[in-house]
């Protein structure tokens, strides 16, 4: 049986399916049908069983060297076994609430007590209370608790949709693919998977056949072919054999691309195109270097702030940026300041729920509204700047006032470092993302104050066409090659070229074979893509003729 989808990261995987269920919904007002004593008994037997499971999981994590995760699990267990928490759950059971509702109510009360304690460390544990409640409810309802951190064997993760945070801290080596019934190309789970080179298919629609196979025959493999955008399950012996052959042939083709590792990306007529890599964590830099990439064109630092209870300190961030700069050994490292908000929530910031988060309080807006947070990151970047070719990139700039404020904050951080006698690159370039139409339209004005531009075509497309990049129902309208989007891109490239400054494009379209020739024809010479695309793009660029592309009638005029 074949299921079609949309590929967001080419590659193939042949492994068992691991179904990640949607988190259980808990209705806080649900009433219980069991008697109070049955309910109490059920609670205590699940608490005991879950306690045993968590203890042995923690020991396994410790053996693997995952000290932090192991410690965190034991801390969760202690909270779960806390007498006050259990008394609070029982008091809700006695009021007639269902077991799940009572557990969640108990967790919320415990969370509030922690917040009210006035102790910053304890307040940060409030989110843990709901996590453990959720783990216990999953246990009672016999629903797997979503976690990808201690896989024992290769799997292909299948789900309706999953949050990017689920992949953070996951056991990447064992994730041979991801298939989603929903999803979108520019959602961050897709970007993260592509950056980690995990083959991935989205928009697969109904996956119930796959789910049934995973339940009835959990040892059977499925074949994810994200090159041909399809997934095979319930395979006959012949189909299995064909899948193995296809995968071997694909691996051989990838091997043939290896010769491009040492080749510089140049068009047929000799125009040099600089291919940088997008990263969400520094591990991936080795792949960029392995593929002969020119540097890091986009470090999405917000992922460092996600899926954790506390914010990374200045020293923690400095250690990461410093290591990245050293690893790149003089090649550019463009560090984008945190692009938090919308589909990249940061629990530790306790941001309010918003009706239109993509148009709301996010990215530079949060940084300018919480300057201590922003300054901490800028200090860490500046301190690391002496160890390499570091540049600062600011996301979501929508007005000149924001750019002026950003420059002001950066200058004040530099003044502080000067006073403290700390070294940093005095000429560190400050660039802005061009991803909002207002900035693209006025690119000529912005380039007078910014040192460089990086075009964020993912957001630029969504904001120009008013198409939510996360909503699969309107994906048919999401088109980075729409003339209006291309017009803004051209305006941006021309403004930068006119000022003799550096312009790059780091959205997903840079890696698309149908888009890159148009971008090169518009004069773009710097792109930043997922590392896995570097070698195929070098091969594509070698087949292009810049002079012909430049004269192409398909190009928009600025
Ligand atoms: C973009 O918007 O094109 C971009 C590169 O930023 P992100 O995908 O992280 O929003
Ligand atoms: Mg963006």
């Amino acid at each position: 049986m074949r299921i079609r989808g949309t590929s967001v990261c080419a590659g193939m995987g042949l492994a068992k399916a691991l179904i990640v269920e949607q988190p259980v919904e808990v209705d806080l007002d649900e009433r219980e049908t069991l008697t109070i004593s049955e309910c109490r008994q059920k609670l205590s037997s699940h608490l005991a069983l879950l306690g045993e499971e968590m203890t042995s999981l923690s020991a396994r994590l410790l053996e693997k060297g995952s000290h932090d995760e192991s410690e965190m699990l034991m801390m969760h267990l202690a909270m779960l076994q806390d007498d006050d928490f259990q008394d609070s759950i029982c008091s809700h059971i006695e009021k007639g609430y269902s077991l799940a509702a009572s557990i969640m109510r108990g967790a919320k009360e415990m969370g509030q007590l922690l917040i009210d304690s006035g102790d910053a460390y304890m307040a940060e544990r409030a989110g843990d209370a709901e996590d453990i409640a959720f783990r216990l409810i999953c246990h009672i309802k016999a629903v797997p608790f979503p976690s990808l951190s201690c896989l024992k064997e290769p799997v292909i993760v299948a789900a309706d949709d999953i949050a990017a945070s689920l992949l953070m801290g996951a056991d990447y080596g064992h994730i041979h693919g991801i298939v989603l019934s929903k999803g979108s190309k520019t959602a961050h789970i897709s970007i993260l998977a592509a950056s980690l080179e995990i083959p991935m298919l989205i928009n697969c629609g109904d996956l119930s056949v796959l789910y049934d196979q995973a339940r009835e025959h959990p040892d059977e493999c499925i074949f994810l072919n994200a090159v041909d955008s399809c997934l095979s399950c319930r395979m006959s012996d012949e189909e299995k054999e064909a899948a193995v052959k296809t995968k071997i042939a694909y691996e051989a083709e990838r091997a043939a691309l290896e010769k491009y590792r040492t080749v510089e990306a140049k068009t047929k007529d000799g125009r040099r195109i600089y291919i940088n890599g997008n990263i969400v964590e520094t591990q991936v830099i080795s792949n960029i270097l392995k593929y002969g990439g020119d540097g890091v064109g986009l470090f999405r630092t917000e992922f460092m702030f996600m899926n954790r209870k506390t914010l990374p300190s200045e020293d923690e961030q400095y250690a990461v940026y410093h290591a990245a700069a050293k690893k790149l050994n003089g090649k550019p490292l463009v560090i984008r300041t945190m692009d938090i908000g919308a589909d990249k929530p940061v629990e530790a910031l306790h941001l309010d729920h918003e009706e239109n988060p993509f148009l709301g309080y996010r990215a530079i807006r949060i940084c300018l509204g919480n300057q201590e947070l922003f300054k901490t990151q800028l200090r860490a970047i500046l301190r690391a700047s002496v160890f390499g070719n570091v540049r600062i990139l600011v996301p979501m700039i929508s007005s000149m006032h924001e750019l002026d404020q950003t420059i002001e904050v950066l200058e004040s951080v530099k003044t502080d470092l000067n006073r403290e006698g700390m070294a940093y690159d005095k000429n560190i370039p400050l660039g802005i993302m061009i991803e909002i139409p207002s900035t693209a339209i006025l690119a000529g004005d912005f380039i007078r104050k910014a040192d460089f531009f990086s075009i964020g075509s993912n957001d630029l497309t969504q904001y120009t066409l008013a198409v939510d990049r996360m909503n699969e129902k309107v994906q048919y309208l999401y088109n980075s090659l729409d003339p209006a989007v291309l017009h803004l891109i051209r305006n941006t490239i021309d403004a930068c070229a006119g000022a003799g400054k550096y312009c790059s494009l780091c959205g997903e379209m840079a890696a698309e074979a149908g888009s890159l020739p148009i971008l090169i024809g518009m004069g773009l010479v710097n792109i930043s893509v997922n590392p896995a695309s570097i070698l195929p793009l070098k091969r594509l660029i070698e087949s292009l003729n810049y002079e012909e592309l430049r004269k192409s009638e398909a190009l928009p005029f600025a």
Side-chain angles (χ1 to χ4, degrees):
M1 160 104 198
R2 271 185 156 213
I3 299 170
R4 295 212 69 81
T6 309
S7 174
V8 292
C9 180
M12 295 189 189
L14 188 61
K16 292 175 193 173
L18 174 75
I19 314 297
V20 175
E21 307 271 358
Q22 285 292 318
V24 283
E25 295 273 339
V26 182
D27 174 0
L28 286 178
D29 294 319
E30 189 182 58
R31 310 298 290 179
E32 185 56 76
T33 49
L34 299 177
T35 64
I36 292 175
S37 77
E38 283 169 335
C39 212
R40 276 172 167 269
Q41 207 174 347
K42 196 169 172 183
L43 173 68
S44 73
S45 69
H46 279 280
L47 275 171
L49 281 173
L50 182 57
E52 280 168 26
E53 284 174 25
M54 287 170 76
T55 309
S56 73
L57 180 58
S58 166
R60 284 208 302 278
L61 284 166
L62 204 56
E63 263 168 41
K64 253 180 50 179
S66 306
H67 299 267
D68 291 352
E69 274 128 335
S70 166
E71 215 173 88
M72 162 108 134
L73 208 59
M74 290 320 285
M75 191 261 288
H76 277 189
L77 181 57
M79 287 172 84
L80 198 61
Q81 292 170 336
D82 180 83
D83 287 342
D84 290 341
F85 178 45
Q86 293 185 14
D87 288 349
S88 155
I89 298 174
C90 290
S91 74
H92 292 295
I93 291 175
E94 271 153 25
K95 285 180 202 143
Y97 290 111
S98 73
L99 185 49
S102 302
I103 293 169
M104 198 45 91
R105 280 174 175 264
K108 285 187 184 296
E109 277 173 13
M110 169 154 63
Q112 198 53 52
L113 282 175
L114 291 168
I115 290 170
D116 295 343
S117 68
D119 177 318
Y121 176 80
M122 297 302 273
E124 281 160 6
R125 305 277 75 79
D128 294 65
E130 288 196 24
D131 261 17
I132 55 159
F134 182 51
R135 192 182 269 272
L136 179 57
I137 293 167
C138 285
H139 200 270
I140 291 168
K141 292 191 183 252
V143 172
F145 182 69
S147 165
L148 301 176
S149 60
C150 29
L151 301 168
K152 292 190 206 79
E153 55 186 348
V155 292
I156 293 175
V157 174
D160 282 353
D161 207 353
I162 52 176
S165 57
L166 193 64
L167 266 193
M168 298 304 292
D171 192 350
Y172 305 130
H174 279 131
I175 301 178
H176 285 205
I178 300 176
V179 292
L180 301 181
S181 29
K182 298 181 186 160
S184 97
K185 250 187 164 169
T186 54
H188 286 96
I189 176 67
S190 307
I191 287 169
L192 186 57
S195 142
L196 295 166
E197 301 188 24
I198 299 174
M200 178 170 178
L201 220 53
I202 56 165
N203 292 334
C204 296
D206 185 4
L207 286 176
S208 49
V209 180
L210 171 64
Y211 292 176
D212 289 348
Q213 169 181 326
R215 276 184 208 110
E216 290 160 22
H217 308 282
D219 289 329
E220 283 280 306
C221 283
I222 59 169
F223 178 44
L224 165 62
N225 180 343
V227 177
D228 287 344
S229 304
C230 62
L231 168 77
S232 304
C233 51
R234 289 194 187 276
M235 289 185 284
S236 63
D237 288 345
E238 295 78 55
E239 284 169 328
K240 279 181 205 160
E241 217 172 286
V244 172
K245 281 192 185 144
T246 309
K247 189 163 175 284
I248 291 173
Y250 171 73
E251 279 156 8
E253 198 200 314
R254 278 293 302 179
L257 278 174
E258 296 290 297
K259 69 172 190 203
Y260 288 94
R261 280 190 187 197
T262 51
V263 170
E264 284 190 339
K266 267 191 194 147
T267 61
K268 240 191 272 183
D269 50 344
R271 187 164 168 91
R272 174 81 158 91
I273 305 297
Y274 295 85
I275 311 181
N276 295 293
N278 293 345
I279 64 166
V280 294
E281 57 165 25
T282 52
Q283 258 181 52
V284 188
I285 293 176
S286 333
N287 289 357
I288 298 176
L289 298 175
K290 184 172 81 183
Y291 300 144
D294 291 296
V296 168
L298 174 67
F299 182 178
R300 288 181 162 100
T301 60
E302 56 277 8
F303 283 87
M304 215 190 323
F305 293 70
M306 292 162 63
N307 201 28
R308 52 187 286 165
K309 310 286 176 209
T310 56
L311 295 167
S313 67
E314 177 185 324
D315 284 344
E316 182 182 339
Q317 291 187 60
Y318 164 75
V320 173
Y321 307 146
H322 170 244
K326 294 271 276 194
K327 218 165 170 180
L328 282 158
N329 195 20
K331 291 187 181 218
L333 169 63
V334 179
I335 303 179
R336 181 173 74 180
T337 57
M338 60 195 109
D339 188 19
I340 287 166
D343 66 330
K344 291 181 282 195
V346 168
E347 204 183 326
L349 287 178
H350 306 293
L351 296 170
D352 293 336
H353 168 79
E354 295 187 6
E355 288 302 322
N356 289 304
F358 274 101
L359 298 181
Y361 192 54
R362 56 171 296 204
I364 189 64
R365 300 169 184 182
I366 295 178
C367 287
L368 292 174
N370 183 347
Q371 294 197 2
E372 284 317 306
L373 177 76
F374 194 25
K375 284 181 175 174
T376 302
Q377 183 170 36
L378 291 174
R379 280 178 65 94
I381 300 174
L382 285 169
R383 283 173 54 204
S385 66
V386 280
F387 298 97
N389 182 355
V390 178
R391 305 171 193 178
I392 301 172
L393 177 64
V394 185
M396 292 288 295
I397 291 282
S398 63
S399 72
M400 197 60 78
H401 182 56
E402 276 173 337
L403 177 54
D404 287 338
Q405 281 181 290
T406 302
I407 294 170
E408 214 174 283
V409 177
L410 180 62
E411 287 310 311
S412 84
V413 173
K414 286 183 183 174
T415 309
D416 290 347
L417 291 180
N418 288 339
R419 204 178 37 242
E420 294 164 36
M422 298 264 212
Y424 63 92
D425 175 4
K426 302 262 180 323
N427 297 314
I428 190 165
L430 173 69
I432 60 171
M433 294 281 295
I434 301 289
E435 52 185 350
I436 296 184
S438 56
T439 326
I441 292 166
L442 297 180
D445 292 333
F446 280 93
I447 200 61
R448 285 197 211 112
K449 290 186 182 167
D451 294 316
F452 68 96
F453 283 163
S454 187
I455 303 171
S457 56
N458 302 338
D459 277 321
L460 188 60
T461 304
Q462 105 163 323
Y463 293 128
T464 305
L465 303 177
V467 178
D468 180 351
R469 66 193 258 194
M470 302 287 291
N471 182 342
E472 81 266 23
K473 285 205 184 111
V474 291
Q475 284 310 294
Y476 70 100
L477 290 170
Y478 186 93
N479 176 17
S480 298
L481 292 178
D482 184 283
V485 180
L486 289 183
H487 192 95
L488 292 177
I489 292 177
R490 175 119 213 198
N491 191 46
T492 307
I493 296 172
D494 287 350
C496 233
K501 291 191 178 171
Y502 178 95
C503 184
S504 174
L505 188 142
C506 58
E508 302 313 296
M509 75 183 293
E512 285 162 8
S515 309
L516 186 61
I518 297 174
L519 297 170
I520 291 178
M522 292 199 284
L524 194 72
V525 289
N526 303 291
I527 55 171
S528 194
V529 297
N530 280 307
S533 301
I534 294 176
L535 295 183
L537 288 182
K538 283 186 181 178
R539 182 169 62 183
L540 171 70
I541 290 167
E542 187 185 74
S543 71
L544 303 175
N545 184 312
Y546 168 64
E547 281 305 322
E548 279 170 19
L549 291 173
R550 200 168 70 85
K551 292 180 206 135
S552 163
E553 284 177 13
L555 297 186
F557 45 88

